[in-house]
Amino acid sequence: MKNLSILGSTGSIGRNVLEIVSMFPERFSVKALSAKDNIPVLADQIEKFHPEIAVVFDKAAAALLKTALPGSAGIDILYGEEGYNAAASHASADLVVVAMVGAAGLMPTLSAVAAKKNIALANKEALVMAGDSVIEQAKKNQVTILPIDSEHSAIFQCIGGNRKEDLNKIFLTASGGPFLNLPDGKFDKIKPEDALNHPNWKMGRKISVDSATLMNKGLEVIEAKCLFGVSKEMIEVVIHPQSVVHSMVSFKDGTVMAQLGIPDMKGAIAYAMSYPERLALKQPEPDFTRIGKLTFEKPDVEKFPCLALAYHACEIGKTLPAVLNAANEIAVAAFLENKISFTNIPEIIKKTMKNHTVAHAPTLGDILEADHWARKEAADLIKDLNVTSIKTAEKKRK
Ligand code: MG
């Protein structure tokens, strides 16, 4: 029996994890659940999976959760960063699933590493922000980090059984998102509902927008660089619209290994949960003769400037990836609230990065500070942008 602590249990990945737990009740037991503030879903999950602790965002959410659980005796309800860290280091957890969205995933990941818990990592931001210290501490504490991100799971599976020193290159595949073939001039007309409508993958809101801007792929380059200890030059992004090849690696003899499957996150999630075993998921294989062709093309960084910004942050490193990530989170949230346009997203990120003074040899404190600074800077830039656009609109009306 593997005991799980699931951080971000009400999100898309978290719900898939629990679905797999339900399919294999003899294999997994849930000891801790955490969410932000989706109380109805969390309360249902608690009644079904009986964790020892449940964690929510703040005191008010904790009070709401208590009232939603009439029979809550015997479960500890915690909140805030302390609560998330408690779930991440819970004594009876064998595997901590970090599936919360955004920068919020960093501290619990570090707590799990410090508590010597193996991690199934879906949160890419923790590695983007502070990958070097997460990986260094994980090595020191002999913690295994199993990637849930489908591309990184694919790379992990392709490298498995080979010597790392024989690795030549990583081909990180990208579907290209819903706007791959949209003409250049139409990008500023994109509405949140268009960006949320991904052609192949069903995902959460933030990551769907990141897929549409290709920022998701950019963050994944930084994630892969940390996870697999390779240089940026060893990672090539390849647009593969069918999403059947989840990623590939090549070795120094020219051999390429690829991992293929239908575009469903359950495969990667289950593999991280049961590694090195494979669960009888009953997922169908890709229907190759129906698919017919698998195609590959170079990404267009002019059309998708977020990818170029991420390459730049990856190159510079230090505090810049954290700044890129924070500015992106703020810009994507503003886009989803219809406050800025789709093309404003890379503009806000680029300006925030430009205004940032990179800290050399940054400590974790410096990285967190850069994250806070970038959030405020991006929010201020959005405010300025809105003031300017209102003024322009007023001028036009006059
Ligand atoms: Mg991915």
Side-chain angles (χ1 to χ4, degrees), residues 20-39:
I20 295 167
V21 171
S22 302
M23 289 164 73
F24 301 94
E26 71 292 350
R27 303 279 310 248
F28 301 104
S29 161
V30 176
K31 297 295 174 189
L33 288 176
S34 94
K36 191 178 177 201
D37 53 9
N38 191 340
I39 303 302

Side-chain angles (χ1 to χ4, degrees), residues 124 149-151 216 220:
K124 58 193 77 177
D149 209 344
S150 63
E151 295 79 0
N216 183 52
E220 287 181 356

Side-chain angles (χ1 to χ4, degrees), residues 124 149-152 173 203 207 216-217 220 223 265:
K124 58 193 77 177
D149 209 344
S150 63
E151 295 79 0
H152 304 75
T173 54
M203 302 177 291
I207 188 170
N216 183 52
K217 211 46 57 180
E220 287 181 356
E223 185 186 3
M265 282 308 297

Side-chain angles (χ1 to χ4, degrees), residues 109-126:
T109 302
L110 286 168
S111 295
V113 171
K116 302 189 175 172
K117 303 287 181 189
N118 287 337
I119 299 172
L121 187 65
N123 176 281
K124 58 193 77 177
E125 290 84 352

Side-chain angles (χ1 to χ4, degrees), residues 10 37-46 65 68:
T10 58
D37 53 9
N38 191 340
I39 303 302
V41 172
L42 182 61
D44 279 351
Q45 292 177 342
I46 291 169
L65 181 60

Side-chain angles (χ1 to χ4, degrees), residues 172-194:
L172 200 62
T173 54
S175 70
F179 311 127
L180 179 62
N181 298 314
L182 190 73
D184 247 342
K186 296 202 165 162
F187 275 67
D188 54 349
K189 304 273 183 307
I190 293 169
K191 294 270 161 293
E193 52 273 27
D194 309 324

